[in-house]
Amino acid sequence: MTYADFRVTLRSDLIEDRDVQVLDITQGQQPTITIVNVYNDPRRKNDGALARLRRTEGLDLRRPTIITGDYNMHHPLWSRNPGPTDPLTAEVVDWLTEQGMTLQNDAGRITHPARSPREQGSIIDLTFANGPVVLEGLLQEWRVDEGLSHSSDHYAITFILDPGKHEILNPLELKYSIKETKPAEWKTAFEAELNNMRDRLELLDYQDINRETLDDCAEGITEAMRAAMAETGKPINRCHRSKPWWDEDLTQAAKRLEEARREEATNEDFDPVVRAAVRKAANYFRRLCKFKKREWVTGTLAEATSKDIYGFCAWSRGTRCYPSPPISRGEGMEPAITHEEKCAALRNELYQPPPPIEDNPEVDLTTPDAAELPTVEITEEEIEEAIMKNVMYVDDGKLYVSSDSLDTNVRMLKIAYEKAAEWLRKAGLSADAAKRELMHYSRRRNHNSSPSIVFDEDPNHPVTVTPQATLRWLGVFFDRQLRFETHAKIVAAKGMNTVAALTMLANTVRGLSHIYLRRLYLTCVIPQILYASPAWFTGCKYQSKHLEKVQNRALRLVCAAFRTSPMKALEVEASIPPISLQAKMAERRAAVRLNKLSFLNPTIQRLPNEWRCNKPPVVPAPLKPNKGRTAVDRRKSTTLLDLTRHSSPEHERIDPYLYPPWRRLQSSFGGRLVVERKVGKEKADKRKLAWEHNALYDELSQSPSHLIIYTDGSLLRNGGFNRVGAAAVMYHLNRNVGQKKMGLGGHAEVYDAELAAAAVASNMARTITRDDERIKHIHYFIDNSAAVATIADPLPRTGQVFARCFYENACRFLDEDQTHRVTIHWCPSHCKIPGNEKVDRLAKEATSLANTAPYKTSRANAVRRAKANTEREWRQQWRKEEKTGGYAVANRIPPSLKPTKHAIELINDRDDVRLWG
């Protein structure tokens, strides 16, 4: 069914009572209907909901109003066997009569069945409507529906609000979701259905056609629409909330419960047999709902794929929508109730128009006025100096000083803040005084002095900033001694809550596969508890013990193990290294990211000069290096310098600001730069792909306007060390017109070699296209899908230097002539394609060449070695540990960062995982 649009407004401004709900129902230009839903608690007697409603002054009963709900009252006006009327009920009836309210209940229609032999069916759920509702016929088809009550001890009351609009029948009978339906597919299916009933619809071509024939043709078109929608659309549940666990069993159980309730309603007195049948049907329906939900959840989790696991977090997300309360619009004005009124009230208050200008004089903006504030131009040097001296990140700033006395620090900070505030004022900015925080750092345990700072910005109201025990800055909680123990406790508590949320996805018997639980833990929990760990994690026990509790609980969940299971064994079985090693791996990866920072970054400014091409820092560090007098003191370092031990300025450097965001992309060339990726070819037959490629090569090699280039990268292990090489081969008119090899040494990956080969090929193509003007179209054939996707866009990522070379050569070639084109193809490898086989041999030969890349170690290789070093350290710890206990017999497989073959084989059997764990 399709219903007319309507708007519901909660009128909490009239009465704030949990037993009374007032709603305004508005449909188009029709009058607004007020529905008052009440629950009159008989235990409150003279202070019940109806008594409080009578004292409400804002309720205007002259408007169309309906008062319905559980009255919990008996009166001859509606009761079947009325007894003596209590004074409170008489007062309520008199008040309703005075307000012109009319009872809508059917005479003698029970709304509350008897629950025991001592009770009788009663009428306590009532509906009263005032004169405007009755006269205009706004309330129609009032009835008691026993089938909608389900497990409630009251029967449901239904009625229709009909202010002139009627429901429209849906000719397709089912609701379909058309979000994913393509119009072309629906049109094709609809045309096919029309062709199937061509004989039936040919009668429409005749001029003389009767009503019966016209109706038959309309029914045929409706059937065609229904069939097309059923073929291309996705049926959705009739309920306003989709319940994918609902099936035919629940439908039949609901019908049996509905029939039992209707049979109960036919009996005026208590019938124990019927009552038992109702109770049995209700209990069965409730248990069946729980079983179907659990069955659906278990099946969904068991059949989940790696793409589905991150969507399960929506299961615990609420769908509540709380309406905003009425907004006051000032004294003497009614509050804003509707959505439009609230928007207007906020707009009028927050976006008031500027005051009118009297006489509107013309202002001379060129001649300076003596009364104006002096304008001070801010130079780029001042901005750079301010950023360097005062550590800032977006809108968060930090002032720091150091001396032998905290009192001296306070005086210096006050002066520095006043200068910073003056600089901000010149720039038209100001600091938020409410967000000023102060922290003293001192490692002295007996240093209890914590002086505050008093700002005299307002002489009448000085502001005092008091030091805090902990301070949160950029997501990290700092303490006075920089132990970060408080931060470890806070992130551990967050991680424990996340692991607890994962328990809803699996238990020791059923649920999500252990492989996916492990992935969720590593991708959702570990980044949460090890956020910024290179800056604060030192490996001390007072830090790691809190994080280990989180991992221990996660390991028991992943392996479906008992609390007494040894944690070392669970770490090996789940392929999850200890927290200390994971923090070490995060530290190594953070060291790799140092080569992705700009030379002006404050972090790079604190490093030795070789990180800035042997240039001194723009601003010296606030503290001079502690050279020390002894060898022990000279070995002392900082957290940042410790980080540089895992990286080197000679590694591949990524420029984050190489190109602006508005650089020319693939779409900027009007289809002349094409990237044909491997999409849709993953499951295709390689022999068929090779045949199609050879056919394309034969076609292209016949024209002098096409230049064909094959590129490849290779990695071989020689003498116990990896060696990487790249190569490219060019063909024109089916002739080899050039080839080149390049060595990348032992600290690179195949991906780097693929990008290097493409860059070498672009330089070769640039040379030959200048000599041969017939070439209009360059074809690059690359057998690495990742390289195909990234080579034409030099974003700040691995291989940027090669992507930049390829990008600039391609742009020059395309800019020379509007008829020039560049196409990057994905090419299947090892399929006996002559060009690919030849370039593969050349790439393997290039592995023996010396490294000619502009760096010694690629970023991809550094990231891989950071992970490999973590695995090596874990195995070293495993070998040194003494194999004792009941697990020692099975503890023979070295730990690995990847799930073992045995664990992968148990991916769909949670019960076997429990035995395995």
Side-chain angles (χ1 to χ4, degrees):
M1 308 298 288
T2 304
Y3 298 90
D5 294 333
F6 62 91
R7 184 176 67 248
V8 180
T9 304
L10 178 64
R11 296 299 304 273
S12 56
D13 59 308
L14 299 179
I15 180 172
E16 294 184 3
D17 196 315
R18 63 180 182 179
D19 292 335
V20 181
Q21 184 183 50
V22 183
L23 302 175
D24 278 352
I25 311 297
T26 305
Q27 297 186 16
Q29 302 298 326
Q30 301 297 329
T32 299
I33 303 174
T34 301
I35 298 181
V36 183
N37 190 10
V38 300
Y39 169 70
N40 189 47
D41 192 347
R43 296 171 297 182
R44 303 187 67 171
K45 297 182 179 180
N46 294 331
D47 193 30
L50 290 172
R52 297 192 299 273
L53 185 64
R54 290 164 53 195
R55 297 192 294 266
T56 303
E57 298 180 356
L59 185 61
D60 187 4
L61 296 180
R62 294 172 297 181
R63 298 171 50 187
T65 305
I66 300 173
I67 304 178
T68 185
D70 186 358
Y71 280 59
N72 274 316
M73 290 182 173
H74 301 276
H75 191 273
L77 188 61
W78 59 78
S79 297
R80 303 182 62 184
N81 300 313
T85 303
D86 61 282
L88 179 60
T89 303
E91 293 178 4
V92 170
V93 172
D94 293 342
W95 174 72
L96 292 172
T97 303
E98 292 175 359
Q99 301 299 328
M101 309 295 290
T102 304
L103 181 65
Q104 302 298 310
N105 288 52
D106 296 335
R109 195 72 166 86
I110 296 176
T111 63
H112 184 267
R115 295 170 295 182
S116 66
R118 295 174 297 177
E119 294 183 0
Q120 292 182 349
S122 58
I123 305 173
I124 57 177
D125 301 287
L126 310 174
T127 300
F128 282 85
N130 65 352
V133 174
V134 176
L135 293 177
E136 298 182 17
L138 301 180
L139 189 148
Q140 298 182 8
E141 299 184 20
W142 186 100
R143 64 188 180 93
V144 176
D145 193 338
E146 301 86 357
L148 297 178
S149 57
H150 292 289
S151 59
S152 174
D153 59 347
H154 292 252
Y155 295 146
I157 293 178
T158 64
F159 51 84
I160 296 177
L161 299 179
D162 186 10
K165 293 189 177 181
H166 303 275
E167 56 189 27
I168 303 173
L169 294 177
N170 182 1
L172 300 182
E173 297 180 358
L174 291 175
K175 293 183 179 180
Y176 291 89
S177 174
I178 59 175
K179 293 181 180 180
E180 302 178 0
T181 302
K182 297 181 179 179
E185 295 179 357
W186 187 92
K187 182 180 178 181
T188 302
F190 182 60
E191 290 176 350
E193 294 296 332
L194 292 179
N195 291 332
N196 294 335
M197 54 180 65
R198 183 181 305 171
D199 298 338
R200 184 177 178 183
L201 299 178
E202 284 181 351
L203 298 176
L204 292 174
D205 297 334
Y206 297 100
Q207 295 182 355
D208 298 333
I209 184 171
N210 54 26
R211 181 182 295 273
E212 290 76 10
T213 304
L214 186 61
D215 290 341
D216 182 67
C217 293
E219 181 64 25
I221 296 176
T222 302
E223 292 178 1
M225 294 174 59
R226 186 185 299 113
M229 188 65 72
E231 180 180 350
T232 60
K234 181 180 179 181
I236 60 177
N237 204 297
R238 294 178 180 269
C239 182
H240 68 286
R241 288 185 181 180
S242 179
K243 293 180 174 57
W245 44 269
W246 190 277
D247 59 4
E248 186 63 25
D249 295 339
L250 284 170
T251 301
Q252 297 300 326
K255 289 182 178 180
R256 287 193 294 269
L257 177 57
E258 180 179 348
E259 292 173 357
R261 297 307 298 262
R262 295 189 186 281
E263 184 179 359
E264 181 187 34
T266 58
N267 299 325
E268 299 180 358
D269 299 327
F270 176 79
D271 189 338
V273 177
V274 176
R275 184 62 184 174
V278 171
R279 189 181 298 109
K280 180 179 179 181
N283 292 337
Y284 175 76
F285 178 75
R286 183 172 60 254
R287 291 194 301 268
L288 186 60
C289 284
K290 293 182 179 180
F291 173 77
K292 291 296 183 180
K293 290 180 183 179
R294 183 171 62 250
E295 184 182 40
W296 177 82
V297 169
T298 303
T300 302
L301 295 176
E303 299 173 1
T305 62
S306 58
K307 298 180 180 180
D308 302 330
I309 57 178
Y310 298 104
F312 294 147
C313 60
W315 289 2
S316 59
R317 189 181 304 150
T319 57
R320 301 175 182 88
C321 180
Y322 298 100
S324 59
I327 299 177
S328 175
R329 291 190 283 192
E331 186 177 356
M333 299 181 63
E334 295 184 356
I337 305 301
T338 64
H339 176 73
E340 292 78 7
E341 293 176 350
K342 293 176 182 178
C343 292
L346 293 174
R347 182 173 58 252
N348 295 336
E349 180 66 24
L350 301 178
Y351 302 100
Q352 297 181 0
I357 301 177
E358 298 180 359
D359 300 334
N360 194 14
E362 295 184 2
V363 181
D364 185 7
L365 300 179
T366 59
T367 305
D369 190 352
E372 295 178 353
L373 293 176
T375 302
V376 181
E377 297 293 339
I378 301 176
T379 63
E380 294 184 1
E381 291 75 11
E382 290 179 325
I383 297 176
E384 181 177 319
E385 182 180 0
I387 294 177
M388 291 301 174
K389 287 185 177 180
N390 309 325
V391 178
M392 300 188 69
Y393 183 82
V394 190
D395 60 346
D396 286 336
K398 178 183 179 183
L399 297 173
Y400 51 86
V401 296
S402 61
S403 68
D404 297 334
S405 171
L406 295 181
D407 295 325
T408 304
N409 287 347
V410 167
R411 292 193 294 270
M412 295 170 62
L413 279 174
K414 183 176 180 180
I415 296 174
Y417 178 81
E418 291 174 350
K419 291 184 177 181
E422 178 65 20
W423 180 84
L424 289 172
R425 188 189 65 81
K426 293 179 181 180
L429 305 173
S430 63
D432 191 351
K435 295 183 178 179
R436 291 182 297 198
E437 297 174 304
L438 176 62
M439 169 66 71
H440 294 304
Y441 300 112
S442 176
R443 291 191 179 275
R444 301 176 185 176
R445 296 186 178 181
N446 56 354
H447 205 310
N448 297 323
S449 175
S450 297
S452 304
I453 299 181
V454 180
F455 294 100
D456 301 326
E457 299 168 347
D458 187 354
N460 298 325
H461 300 87
V463 179
T464 302
V465 180
T466 306
Q468 301 179 2
T470 58
L471 186 146
R472 184 177 184 270
W473 197 60
L474 299 182
V476 179
F477 290 86
F478 293 77
D479 54 68
R480 182 160 183 160
Q481 295 184 353
L482 294 178
R483 290 164 51 91
F484 297 102
E485 183 177 5
T486 303
H487 177 77
K489 292 180 180 179
I490 293 175
V491 296
K494 294 180 180 179
M496 194 67 76
N497 292 336
T498 306
V499 174
L502 293 179
T503 58
M504 69 178 293
L505 301 180
N507 53 27
T508 58
V509 179
R510 62 177 65 89
L512 194 64
S513 166
H514 59 284
I515 296 295
Y516 296 143
L517 283 176
R518 172 186 176 273
R519 185 176 301 178
L520 285 174
Y521 171 71
L522 293 178
T523 56
C524 298
V525 182
I526 288 298
Q528 187 179 35
I529 63 178
L530 292 183
Y531 170 75
S533 61
W536 60 267
F537 188 81
T538 60
C540 297
K541 190 64 178 179
Y542 60 79
Q543 292 180 348
S544 59
K545 65 180 181 180
H546 303 290
L547 306 183
E548 289 173 355
K549 293 179 180 179
V550 180
Q551 176 148 311
N552 293 346
R553 183 175 181 182
L555 287 171
R556 297 189 190 100
L557 175 64
V558 172
C559 298
F562 299 106
R563 290 179 60 89
T564 55
S565 302
M567 289 298 108
K568 297 294 183 181
L570 297 183
E571 289 173 349
V572 174
E573 295 288 354
S575 301
I576 299 177
I579 281 292
S580 58
L581 292 181
Q582 295 195 56
K584 196 72 174 179
M585 183 167 57
E587 181 180 348
R588 292 190 177 101
R589 290 178 173 177
V592 174
R593 292 196 296 271
L594 290 177
N595 280 297
K596 197 176 180 180
L597 301 178
S598 170
F599 287 119
L600 296 178
N601 189 282
T603 302
I604 301 297
Q605 293 295 313
R606 303 292 181 86
L607 299 182
N609 291 344
E610 53 264 24
W611 285 86
R612 296 180 300 276
C613 300
N614 295 320
K615 295 182 181 179
V618 177
V619 178
L623 296 178
K624 297 181 180 180
N626 183 16
K627 298 181 179 180
R629 298 181 179 180
T630 64
V632 176
D633 291 338
R634 285 193 293 270
R635 285 197 299 268
K636 291 182 178 179
S637 179
T638 63
T639 303
L640 184 58
L641 293 180
D642 289 340
L643 202 64
T644 59
R645 297 174 182 175
H646 304 291
S647 185
S648 170
E650 296 180 350
H651 289 184
E652 179 185 3
R653 183 151 195 87
I654 309 297
D655 189 353
Y657 310 116
L658 180 61
Y659 290 100
W662 52 88
R663 67 189 182 281
R664 291 193 294 177
L665 302 176
Q666 177 184 347
S667 58
S668 304
F669 295 95
R672 295 189 297 125
L673 176 59
V674 181
V675 178
E676 296 183 356
R677 305 186 183 184
K678 189 185 174 182
V679 178
K681 301 180 180 180
E682 293 82 358
K683 299 182 180 180
D685 186 4
K686 275 197 168 185
R687 290 179 297 179
K688 180 180 178 181
L689 294 176
W691 181 84
E692 293 176 353
H693 174 83
N694 290 330
L696 176 62
Y697 174 82
D698 293 339
E699 179 184 353
L700 298 177
S701 60
Q702 301 300 322
S703 174
S705 62
H706 294 283
L707 178 65
I708 304 172
I709 305 177
Y710 289 93
T711 66
D712 194 18
S714 181
L715 185 149
L716 296 178
R717 194 165 183 83
N718 186 8
F721 297 95
N722 293 337
R723 304 291 297 179
V724 180
V729 180
M730 290 194 306
Y731 293 92
H732 187 238
L733 294 176
N734 205 20
R735 293 186 303 106
N736 186 345
V737 295
Q739 62 186 37
K740 190 172 183 180
K741 297 182 289 186
M742 176 182 177
L744 278 80
H747 293 284
E749 302 297 320
V750 175
Y751 174 72
D752 301 309
E754 296 284 354
L755 296 180
V760 169
S762 68
N763 290 331
M764 297 170 58
R766 181 66 182 159
T767 302
I768 194 173
T769 52
R770 282 198 297 259
D771 298 336
D772 192 342
E773 297 181 354
R774 296 178 301 170
I775 299 176
K776 303 294 183 181
H777 196 163
I778 304 177
H779 299 268
Y780 295 91
F781 290 96
I782 306 174
D783 60 2
N784 186 289
S785 58
V788 171
T790 60
I791 189 61
D793 193 1
L795 291 174
R797 56 192 172 194
T798 300
Q800 185 191 45
V801 61
F802 299 122
R804 176 185 183 181
C805 177
F806 184 93
Y807 175 78
E808 292 180 350
N809 285 331
C811 289
R812 294 192 190 101
F813 177 73
L814 294 174
D815 292 339
E816 289 176 354
D817 194 331
Q818 293 298 317
T819 61
H820 286 181
R821 299 187 64 186
V822 174
T823 303
I824 305 171
H825 305 265
W826 174 80
C827 172
S829 60
H830 307 293
C831 294
K832 297 182 179 181
I833 297 175
N836 182 260
E837 295 293 334
K838 181 177 181 59
V839 76
D840 181 62
R841 290 193 299 269
L842 293 176
K844 291 179 179 178
E845 295 175 2
T847 58
S848 60
L849 301 179
N851 181 15
T852 56
Y855 50 74
K856 292 185 177 181
T857 302
S858 72
R859 175 181 171 84
N861 180 262
V863 173
R864 184 190 63 80
R865 286 190 295 109
K867 188 174 181 180
N869 291 338
T870 302
E871 183 174 356
R872 186 181 65 253
E873 291 182 9
W874 191 12
R875 292 193 175 190
Q876 291 175 354
Q877 293 181 7
W878 176 79
R879 293 189 184 97
K880 293 179 181 179
E881 292 175 354
E882 185 178 357
K883 308 298 186 294
T884 60
Y887 180 69
V889 179
N891 191 9
R892 294 294 182 265
I893 302 177
S896 172
L897 294 182
K898 293 183 179 180
T900 62
K901 180 180 179 181
H902 177 65
I904 296 176
E905 291 175 352
L906 298 175
I907 189 172
N908 292 324
D909 201 336
R910 184 70 179 168
D911 192 49
D912 286 348
V913 175
R914 177 173 56 86
L915 299 177
W916 157 62

